[in-house]
Amino acid sequence: MSQDGMSQFQEVIRQELELSVKKELEQILTTAPSHECEHTKKDLDGFRKLFHRFLQEKGPSVDWGKIQRPPEDSIQPYEKIKAKGLPDNISSVLNKLVVVKLNGGLGTSMGCKGPKSLIGVRNENTFLDLTVQQIEHLNKTYNTDVPLVLMNSFNTDEDTKKILQKYNHCRVKIHTFNQSRYPRINKESLLPVAKDVSYSGENTDAWYPPGHGDIYASFYNSGLLDTLIGEGKEYIFVSNIDNLGATVDLYILNHLMNPPNGKRCEFVMEVTNKTRADVKGGTLTQYEGKLRLVEIAQVPKAHVDEFKSVSKFKIFNTNNLWISLAAVKRLQEQNAIDMEIIVNPKTLDGGLNVIQLETAVGAAIKSFENSLGINVPRSRFLPVKTTSDLLLVMSNLYSLNAGSLTMSEKREFPTVPLVKLGSSFTKVQDYLRRFESIPDMLELDHLTVSGDVTFGKNVSLKGTVIIIANHGDRIDIPAGAVLENKIVSGNLRILDH
């Protein structure tokens, strides 16, 4: 078949597939209760647009030859922004801000049921507790009214709303809105797995929240965006709820509201310097005259090593973003927010292979005017994705003050230790059972633990410590032990007499 004939054939197939999907979605919509009909229709329309683009776009979404280093002035050092100091009217500037936390994720990767934001991370405080404490402290200190907005997913909404009642007496207004609910697609047929709108019973796995890039459409559709603009709010500070370093920074906010050249940025992305642990993080580049976020999934295979190079791409996206509300409204109404599609393959419990189409919030940077990167200290990126991360934030490396974690002054190095806990520690309940108390880690550089290992009370870890219990063996580190530059392996059980 000629090239022409082939592309015509593919076009016919594509059109038929779109028609089939349209029919299936219309059928699903008929099963929605009347009070959910409009909301469900918006979700399914959003999905159809994304699916249409998915069928149109093939191959890597970036042309590697067009990727350039960003111009010098497009990524500002944080020190330069901090050096400007703060104006006397910082309270009125703060009153223009809304804090948005991405709260759609479950704690399943750490063996927990329910929203990740409800996992205890420090002194019985959850991610959500710490967030509310931070904003309440701001509001009390500066006599302001900075609200908190949670973007929930259908997975986290109900549990989160139950918990919110406990903050009724806090000095923080809390709003929520839900991100969209899209149907997963059968990898073979490319048709939706869902047969109706319910997401219980057989349909539990048929739906998914389509990534945090969905924030723009969902925020707008919920009506909350207009409400906040009506209250005089101008910027949102968006971050992942599990990034404990993502606190409101007054210097960055002041730079946004009072720019040195008089021209305001519509979008600021906080980036930080890569270390060997961050080679997969998305990076800011210059592409066709605009700042653009490039993720590892978009990189052609031949260039992945180059992308991971710490010397060529020195920074990565922390997902701490400052975005103009008026710009979100304008771009949403013009249907002009462009984000690359992330195709996320999954295998459901029954063995069915599906794909889910997602987008990332930072990818929209190229759609906004006068975007900027700010190279912030590493301390603003403190995500807790695993129990290894949890060990760091629970330890004496950090002190807690008004909901914010700061590195202890007793730590002589500015970087955190590299911690790798083995599979016996993956689930939070197993992890907590294995530590009678959290070890002293002030002088630790590197910790690797593998196998059946437990730690007694008041253990100190210094330098490089590697503890490996062989299969079938168990190692109990006794109370009060000091391990400095030690490798412990085999079988060690010290019992009280």
Side-chain angles (χ1 to χ4, degrees):
M1 195 184 279
S2 71
Q3 197 67 40
D4 242 16
M6 191 66 190
S7 55
Q8 275 178 340
F9 174 71
Q10 285 172 331
E11 181 59 22
V12 169
I13 297 276
R14 191 184 60 72
Q15 285 174 356
E16 283 185 359
L17 185 57
E18 285 211 47
L19 203 62
S20 302
V21 167
K22 183 177 176 232
K23 278 183 188 161
E24 296 249 346
L25 296 178
E26 282 167 356
Q27 176 54 40
I28 291 171
L29 188 58
T30 63
T31 68
S34 54
H35 66 281
E36 278 180 27
C37 218
E38 191 186 346
H39 188 79
T40 306
K41 186 176 185 314
K42 277 183 181 169
D43 278 359
L44 296 179
D45 284 349
F47 171 76
R48 253 186 75 193
K49 280 182 195 161
L50 197 62
F51 186 72
H52 173 76
R53 279 183 51 213
F54 162 68
L55 291 181
Q56 296 284 20
E57 297 165 14
K58 287 283 176 269
S61 52
V62 292
D63 175 350
W64 193 255
K66 290 184 183 175
I67 287 181
Q68 297 170 309
R69 281 192 182 172
E72 283 300 310
D73 59 348
S74 66
I75 299 181
Q76 298 272 341
Y78 176 75
E79 289 66 36
K80 186 177 167 185
I81 280 160
K82 192 174 180 181
K84 288 189 344 194
L86 295 174
D88 296 336
N89 68 337
I90 194 66
S91 295
S92 65
V93 171
L94 255 174
N95 270 328
K96 304 278 171 69
L97 183 70
V98 177
V99 175
V100 180
K101 292 286 181 183
L102 304 171
N103 185 46
L106 294 168
T108 41
S109 61
M110 291 164 77
C112 295
K113 286 190 168 74
K116 187 174 182 182
S117 56
L118 307 183
I119 294 175
V121 279
R122 182 84 191 210
N123 308 353
E124 308 296 308
N125 288 301
T126 64
F127 291 106
L128 191 53
D129 292 336
L130 296 176
T131 301
V132 173
Q133 286 168 30
Q134 287 164 20
I135 301 174
E136 183 174 51
H137 178 67
L138 261 185
N139 285 336
K140 283 180 172 171
T141 306
Y142 296 97
N143 193 25
T144 49
D145 179 24
V146 177
L148 169 63
V149 173
L150 299 171
M151 178 166 89
N152 297 336
S153 66
F154 64 91
N155 290 318
T156 62
D157 188 53
E158 200 177 314
D159 289 344
T160 301
K161 280 182 175 160
K162 280 180 196 157
I163 292 288
L164 290 183
Q165 292 164 11
K166 79 172 182 179
Y167 306 118
N168 283 347
H169 305 296
C170 292
R171 190 172 161 173
V172 183
K173 281 189 193 142
I174 304 178
H175 308 274
T176 65
F177 69 93
N178 267 16
Q179 65 188 112
S180 309
R181 186 162 75 94
Y182 284 0
R184 284 182 166 140
I185 307 165
N186 182 318
K187 194 178 174 187
E188 301 305 318
S189 68
L190 290 184
L191 293 174
V193 177
K195 294 292 169 243
D196 57 57
V197 293
S198 70
Y199 46 100
S200 54
E202 281 181 18
N203 244 3
T204 312
D205 286 338
W207 300 90
Y208 72 99
H212 43 54
D214 184 56
I215 184 171
Y216 304 105
S218 303
F219 201 5
Y220 178 82
N221 289 340
S222 70
L224 187 55
L225 180 72
D226 280 336
T227 304
L228 293 167
I229 290 174
E231 290 172 7
K233 304 297 182 190
E234 294 183 20
Y235 278 94
I236 48 175
F237 171 49
V238 182
S239 62
N240 298 358
I241 199 153
D242 64 7
N243 178 6
L244 294 176
T247 56
V248 171
D249 187 282
L250 298 178
Y251 298 101
I252 295 177
L253 179 62
N254 180 47
H255 183 82
L256 281 172
M257 301 295 286
N258 304 304
N261 59 1
K263 192 180 177 199
R264 282 195 178 181
C265 296
E266 290 186 345
F267 195 111
V268 163
M269 177 181 287
E270 292 184 34
V271 295
T272 193
N273 291 341
K274 270 189 185 184
T275 66
R276 299 264 172 234
D278 313 306
V279 292
K280 291 183 178 176
T283 194
L284 269 189
T285 62
Q286 174 90 344
Y287 193 88
E288 295 179 340
K290 287 218 157 190
L291 274 186
R292 176 160 175 166
L293 178 68
V294 175
E295 302 277 4
I296 194 161
Q298 294 163 252
V299 178
K301 281 201 173 61
H303 298 283
V304 166
D305 286 345
E306 196 182 335
F307 175 81
K308 287 181 177 179
S309 145
V310 180
S311 55
K312 179 159 184 182
F313 297 106
K314 293 179 165 40
I315 50 156
F316 72 97
N317 167 31
T318 63
N319 223 34
N320 301 347
L321 309 166
W322 304 74
I323 309 170
S324 154
L325 283 168
V328 172
K329 182 176 166 70
R330 181 191 79 235
L331 291 169
Q332 197 54 43
E333 286 175 348
Q334 293 171 352
N335 196 20
I337 294 182
D338 178 23
M339 294 171 285
E340 290 75 29
I341 297 173
I342 300 160
V343 180
N344 190 351
K346 299 258 176 188
T347 303
L348 302 185
D349 285 347
L352 181 69
N353 289 324
V354 297
I355 53 175
Q356 48 193 52
L357 305 178
E358 302 174 9
T359 54
V361 57
I365 188 169
K366 63 179 180 292
S367 303
F368 289 80
E369 293 300 316
N370 205 22
S371 300
L372 180 70
I374 296 181
N375 192 341
V376 297
R378 179 70 183 208
S379 56
R380 290 191 58 74
F381 184 67
L382 187 57
V384 181
K385 303 288 183 197
T386 61
T387 49
S388 302
D389 300 330
L390 196 55
L391 180 63
L392 291 170
V393 299
M394 288 178 121
S395 76
N396 61 345
L397 287 163
Y398 292 97
S399 51
L400 181 64
N401 182 17
S404 298
L405 289 180
T406 44
M407 176 82 76
S408 166
E409 288 172 2
K410 294 178 186 165
R411 170 89 175 161
E412 290 183 11
F413 320 101
T415 54
V416 291
L418 191 61
V419 172
K420 293 179 182 173
L421 299 178
S423 56
S424 307
F425 292 79
T426 304
K427 293 184 175 177
V428 173
Q429 66 232 44
D430 295 339
Y431 153 88
L432 290 171
R433 198 169 42 79
R434 291 179 177 280
F435 288 101
E436 270 194 66
S437 71
I438 302 298
D440 172 344
M441 291 164 50
L442 278 175
E443 294 176 43
L444 179 69
D445 297 326
H446 180 128
L447 172 68
T448 295
V449 183
S450 175
D452 186 359
V453 178
T454 63
F455 291 79
K457 278 201 169 94
N458 306 324
V459 171
S460 275
L461 304 172
K462 302 179 180 191
T464 295
V465 178
I466 298 170
I467 305 168
I468 298 174
N470 299 327
H471 186 66
D473 286 344
R474 175 166 155 188
I475 294 178
D476 294 318
I477 304 298
V482 178
L483 298 180
E484 181 167 5
N485 296 326
K486 287 277 186 287
I487 297 177
V488 182
S489 66
N491 191 347
L492 173 74
R493 300 192 70 177
I494 298 176
L495 304 172
D496 289 337
H497 180 52

